[in-house]
Amino acid sequence: MELKEIMLKRRSTRKFTAEKVKEEEIEELLHAAMSGPSAVNRTPWEFYVVENEEKLKELRKATLYTNYIAPLAIVVCGNLSRALPFELKDYWIHDCSAASENILLRAVDLGLAAVWCGVYPQKKGVDNVRRILGLPDKHVPLNIIYLGHGTEDKEPRDQYAQKYIHYVR
């Protein structure tokens, strides 16, 4: 599949079959994630791969927007001990977001479906995910990406809108 096709085909899927994601597919997703850019190459990310049904059930209740039943979740976290210092400390958000998008794009390429559910900066959501997964204080959950085989086949779309483009020449 061509990159443009993958990008247009990437759509949030919220309904999944019970079919498990293969171990080699999970590895491919994580390789894609860690191929993303990172400010000063700090790679301030940590990935929690969740297949345990009890933990998945708890994660579904972590925030108002994480209640999806899927066989796999990857919780993308920022590791603040590897973040840049001082006023640059929040660049971990950019780095982990790029890693997350790479997971979503690779999922499409593998024939999988996914939905990105934001956690940070919801304090209660962050606290809930930390508790559920036993995260260290320095690991901040940015999102939960649910993955699996989708039950719906959405049409590719292009949301290009000229009105949001401003040229400075």
Side-chain angles (χ1 to χ4, degrees), residues 40-58:
V40 195
N41 201 31
R42 294 298 280 256
T43 64
W45 44 58
E46 301 285 340
F47 303 94
Y48 289 82
V49 179
V50 183
E51 296 176 287
N52 176 283
E53 185 52 47
E54 282 306 308
K55 294 296 182 185
L56 287 168
K57 187 176 180 180
E58 289 182 65

Side-chain angles (χ1 to χ4, degrees), residues 90-146:
D90 287 339
Y91 273 99
W92 72 267
I93 299 166
H94 301 265
D95 300 342
C96 291
S97 294
S100 298
E101 181 67 8
N102 280 2
I103 290 170
L104 298 176
L105 294 174
R106 186 66 176 123
V108 171
D109 195 36
L110 292 169
L112 298 170
V115 62
W116 170 333
C117 300
V119 175
Y120 180 86
Q122 302 171 68
K123 183 174 178 359
K124 185 176 177 186
V126 168
D127 292 344
N128 286 341
V129 173
R130 274 196 173 128
R131 177 186 48 76
I132 292 164
L133 298 180
L135 303 180
D137 289 341
K138 292 283 188 178
H139 294 190
V140 181
L142 178 68
N143 61 48
I144 300 169
I145 301 174
Y146 289 105

Side-chain angles (χ1 to χ4, degrees), residues 8-22:
L8 296 178
K9 197 170 180 180
R10 194 231 46 86
R11 303 283 305 272
S12 293
T13 298
R14 293 170 177 84
K15 294 181 189 212
F16 303 89
T17 70
E19 183 182 349
K20 300 282 184 198
V21 176
K22 296 176 187 161

